[in-house]
Amino acid sequence: MLAKGGSKHARWKLRLSGWTRLAVIFLFSVVLAGYVLGPFVWLASSSIQNEREIISVPPHWVPEDPTLLNFKAIFLAQRKGVTYETRTQADPVSGGYIPSTAKNLLPSLWNSLIVAVSVVVLNLVVGIPAAYAMAKIRFRGRSTSIYFMLSTRVIPDIVLVVPFFLFISRLGLLDNVLSLIITYLAITVPFTVFILMSYFESLPDELDKAARVDGCSRFQTLTLVFLPLALPSVAAIVLFSFLTSWNEFLLALMFTQTIASQTMPIVIASFTSDFTISFSFINAAGVVAVVPPVLLAVVFERYIVSGMTAGAVKG
Amino acid sequence: MPPRPRLRLSGVISGKFDFEARAAALFLLPVTVVLVAVAVFPIGYSFYISLFQLKLTRPHRVPFVWLDNYAKILTDELFWSSAWRTFSFTVMSVTAISILAVLIALLLNETFRGRRFLAIILVAPWAIPTVANGLMWKWIYDSSFGALNGALLQLGMIDKYVVWLGDPEKTLPLIANAFVWKEVPLASILILVTMKSIPADLYRAAKVDGANVLQRFIHITLPSLRPGFMLVFIYETMMAIRHFDLFFILTEGGPAQASHVASWHIYVETFRNLSFGTGNALAYVMAIVTFALAYFIIRTLGRRL
């Protein structure tokens, strides 16, 4: 999608002599890679140090005595009930300890997964027909409905918090993942419809006509003709709505109270506000939080770009 | 979007307008139900609540107070200082994001080995949870064991470890830095995509007319970037104004009130002081301001830039 701009689309090239150009590009690339990867490398390096090493001054960039104890603590926390005592036994010098809430991390990942997958499915169910109708059916109020859709996304989510909170408590859904699934629709659906609509619009109208002449109903035209063609865009919205729900913090902070519904960001945030926690343990938790979304994004990188291109840049 | 000529043959020939409208209505029904339930209704309800004195500390006494909540919050000095902090945070972040994004897009627009690698790693900061981002930077900025102190000390740029987030002078720029790091990738991708759509003829024509690299950049690249740039500008402004997560993780509004921004102010008023009426009024003011701002940016900058 990106790099293959052929003869039609040119690039703004640095018109410098070969070596200078190469040097500039090389230097800039190294700086950029360092800027992007630096924090990740430091996080990963800290996560495999023991408590003694992590408080060295100046810091050890490369761990001298790498250990997976922190990850073990996360994954075995539920079985063993890692507490202050068991932790200090394992690493006597440290004094940093692993909180009792450590056992919440794995269940919270599960909650996050349930929420994210449900939100993705609902987005597809609700968003696909709407996007198709907006792109290919001419009806009165079409442009109004597009503006309406976009304007709901300009509203800061913090405005939604109190009304949601009152509703959800009245419905008895506080501390229930359902409350998160419902409210996350508000922050994902407008974007989903917008991206898909832009993609459907870029497909020729003749396709629509031909399918209709051949006797397809509107629904069949959508599912048999347009949807298969729009798969890259569908991949993009699956990714976007998944990551948005997986990463969301503010609403989850308000509506969840116990591990019955707490999602991963909430449990991680509870670690960071505890000053007595082992630093290396927090960093290991950070790695666990960062790996799944980064993997997803890196694998589906091309869809992010094509998804953006579909709607965004046409203005 | 430029209007494209369309012939609605199916509609015109068989007079199926009613049918079309009905199909559209059917397809739009689910999304309408969802958005009314989770967006429109809450926004209206939010305004309604903001007219009451609703305090969870006194749940049984909820008098209707007209616009008193608004009067109360607007006369609060903390409101204005937090609005000012949000303003400076937004200006800092959006400026940095815009400049960095254009630079990164210029780099990725070149063809060279490793370009693909850079493009792929660039999406990583965008994908991670803001909470993990906060955790990461909190540890980098740590005043006793953090990487920033360590690196600067080893490079000889400081003599001894410095307090970073705990210094009111440095707090906002440092939080803005963490915000920028996460937001820059998306912005660069959007600008890069716009850059790739600039027709080559423009450059050829300019070269024939004798324009040099810099002139071509200023007179062709920059103006042609307008749509992508506008989008980045508006989107990032909206995101910076409402940003909450990093303030929660990194500083909780502190030290003193150095990072007590508008979104944090709303949170404290609503969920720590448990005053839902004024909290809602605050949130509503923020909504109106962001809305007006988006409109203003599109109207003025959108034309001139």
Side-chain angles (χ1 to χ4, degrees):
Chain A
M1 291 284 145
L2 245 186
K4 287 152 202 153
S7 52
K8 253 198 248 161
H9 299 298
R11 312 192 184 110
W12 186 75
K13 301 256 196 239
L14 281 167
R15 300 279 175 240
L16 297 167
S17 66
W19 283 108
T20 340
R21 176 179 174 271
L22 265 188
V24 170
I25 286 182
F26 178 75
L27 202 73
F28 197 1
S29 302
V30 170
V31 171
L32 178 62
Y35 177 66
V36 172
L37 292 181
F40 285 121
V41 172
W42 166 242
L43 180 76
S45 157
S46 312
S47 73
I48 52 171
Q49 300 186 10
N50 63 35
E51 208 53 27
R52 197 175 346 157
E53 190 174 2
I54 206 164
I55 56 169
S56 39
V57 176
H60 292 181
W61 304 109
V62 180
E64 280 166 6
D65 180 20
T67 166
L68 289 177
L69 261 180
N70 301 302
F71 292 97
K72 204 173 146 197
I74 290 174
F75 288 106
L76 295 183
Q78 272 188 305
R79 228 181 302 156
K80 285 193 176 161
V82 179
T83 59
Y84 182 84
E85 287 75 24
T86 49
R87 171 62 182 173
T88 38
Q89 268 168 16
D91 191 2
V93 194
S94 70
Y97 80 107
I98 288 175
S100 56
T101 46
K103 64 176 185 299
N104 288 349
L105 192 57
L106 286 188
S108 76
L109 285 171
W110 178 243
N111 286 341
S112 283
L113 187 70
I114 292 175
V115 171
V117 170
S118 318
V119 172
V120 167
V121 171
L122 285 172
N123 259 281
L124 293 177
V125 170
V126 169
I128 290 175
Y132 170 73
M134 285 185 174
K136 290 296 169 200
I137 306 179
R138 305 290 116 171
F139 57 93
R140 282 176 66 195
R142 176 173 165 273
S143 56
T144 321
S145 54
I146 294 172
Y147 282 117
F148 160 73
M149 186 94 57
L150 287 177
S151 62
T152 56
R153 199 54 209 106
V154 180
I155 307 294
D157 13 13
I158 205 156
V159 181
L160 303 174
V161 165
V162 170
F164 275 157
F165 184 84
L166 293 177
F167 273 133
I168 283 166
S169 54
R170 191 160 301 168
L171 290 174
L173 287 179
L174 271 183
D175 205 20
N176 184 326
V177 285
L178 263 180
S179 65
L180 297 182
I181 295 172
I182 296 169
T183 50
Y184 287 179
L185 289 180
I187 54 177
T188 50
V189 164
F191 194 63
T192 296
V193 175
F194 183 64
I195 295 261
L196 265 182
M197 182 189 75
S198 314
Y199 197 86
F200 283 147
E201 268 187 339
S202 70
L203 298 172
D205 279 2
E206 284 68 30
L207 215 60
D208 195 49
K209 246 180 287 165
R212 308 275 287 131
V213 168
D214 285 350
C216 283
S217 70
R218 275 278 172 217
F219 184 71
Q220 285 168 325
T221 313
L222 170 59
T223 50
L224 301 178
V225 180
F226 279 94
L227 210 49
L229 289 172
L231 280 184
S233 198
V234 172
I237 61 164
V238 167
L239 188 71
F240 288 150
S241 42
F242 185 91
L243 286 180
T244 308
S245 330
W246 180 268
N247 295 348
E248 204 284 332
F249 177 65
L250 178 64
L251 296 170
L253 181 68
M254 309 300 173
F255 305 148
T256 66
Q257 283 138 10
T258 68
I259 193 55
S261 67
Q262 281 176 332
T263 50
M264 173 273 294
I266 304 304
V267 173
I268 299 272
S270 75
F271 294 158
T272 61
S273 53
D274 187 338
F275 291 103
T276 50
I277 289 185
S278 141
F279 289 117
S280 52
F281 174 77
I282 296 190
N283 285 305
V287 170
V288 171
V290 156
V291 166
V294 166
L295 275 185
L296 266 183
V298 164
V299 170
F300 292 105
E301 183 259 348
R302 60 181 66 252
Y303 295 112
I304 298 173
V305 177
S306 65
M308 284 299 155
T309 351
V313 190
K314 277 194 297 185
Chain B
M1 259 177 276
R4 277 191 285 152
R6 274 168 205 277
L7 273 180
R8 303 308 305 166
L9 272 185
S10 57
V12 174
I13 293 172
S14 53
K16 272 200 263 179
F17 276 114
D18 277 353
F19 179 77
E20 292 283 278
R22 243 181 299 151
L26 198 64
F27 279 15
L28 289 170
L29 185 67
V31 89
T32 314
V33 170
V34 166
L35 283 184
V36 167
V38 300
V40 178
F41 195 63
I43 291 165
Y45 191 54
S46 170
F47 181 67
Y48 177 75
I49 300 170
S50 75
L51 303 177
F52 289 85
Q53 193 189 69
L54 175 58
K55 292 191 175 174
L56 283 204
T57 42
R58 279 185 300 171
H60 299 297
R61 217 180 139 269
V62 187
F64 184 73
V65 292
W66 296 99
L67 294 174
D68 277 9
N69 284 331
Y70 290 90
K72 206 183 281 172
I73 58 168
L74 291 179
T75 49
D76 184 357
E77 211 177 298
L78 194 53
F79 168 81
W80 293 104
S81 64
S82 67
W84 171 250
R85 280 182 213 106
T86 294
F87 175 76
S88 22
F89 175 78
T90 307
V91 170
M92 275 188 263
S93 316
V94 175
T95 312
I97 291 170
S98 310
I99 295 173
L100 283 177
V102 171
L103 286 178
I104 294 173
L106 279 175
L107 173 70
L108 294 181
N109 203 21
E110 300 287 313
T111 20
F112 60 96
R113 271 182 143 205
R115 198 205 71 90
R116 185 90 193 105
F117 173 74
L118 283 180
I120 290 178
I121 60 164
L122 197 61
V123 298
W126 168 79
I128 68 169
T130 26
V131 170
N133 187 32
L135 172 154
M136 211 159 71
W137 286 98
K138 194 176 190 179
W139 176 231
I140 291 172
Y141 294 150
D142 191 277
S143 53
S144 321
F145 314 113
L148 184 59
N149 268 331
L152 290 182
L153 190 73
Q154 283 181 331
L155 292 173
M157 291 164 84
I158 50 174
D159 311 327
K160 57 178 180 13
Y161 274 17
V162 176
V163 175
W164 295 109
L165 284 172
D167 181 344
E169 296 279 302
K170 304 192 183 96
T171 308
L172 267 193
L174 288 173
I175 300 178
N177 175 55
F179 179 74
V180 169
W181 182 80
K182 183 162 163 48
E183 293 291 324
V184 142
L186 184 67
S188 334
I189 291 174
L190 286 173
I191 290 189
L192 178 64
V193 169
T194 323
M195 216 176 258
K196 289 208 181 288
S197 67
I198 304 175
D201 297 353
L202 281 183
Y203 291 109
R204 245 173 266 141
K207 249 164 115 186
V208 171
D209 290 348
N212 64 26
V213 181
L214 197 67
Q215 285 170 326
R216 287 202 297 269
F217 177 71
I218 291 173
H219 294 291
I220 299 178
T221 312
L222 278 185
S224 314
L225 285 184
R226 193 181 109 181
F229 196 79
M230 277 299 296
L231 193 79
V232 166
F233 193 73
I234 296 175
Y235 177 80
E236 297 300 348
T237 306
M238 302 289 111
M239 288 298 132
I241 291 178
R242 70 174 65 165
H243 194 72
F244 171 79
D245 303 8
L246 284 174
F247 295 99
F248 183 94
I249 302 286
L250 288 175
T251 57
E252 300 218 339
Q257 284 168 347
S259 60
H260 192 103
V261 289
S263 59
W264 181 254
H265 190 53
I266 299 175
Y267 171 75
V268 169
E269 187 65 15
T270 316
F271 285 91
R272 300 222 168 148
N273 301 344
L274 292 178
S275 172
F276 278 26
T278 45
N280 241 319
L282 281 170
Y284 222 79
V285 169
M286 182 189 254
I288 291 168
V289 169
T290 42
F291 217 91
L293 207 63
Y295 188 78
F296 175 77
I297 295 175
I298 293 169
R299 268 295 145 97
T300 57
L301 271 178
R303 292 237 182 89
R304 225 173 296 146
L305 204 77

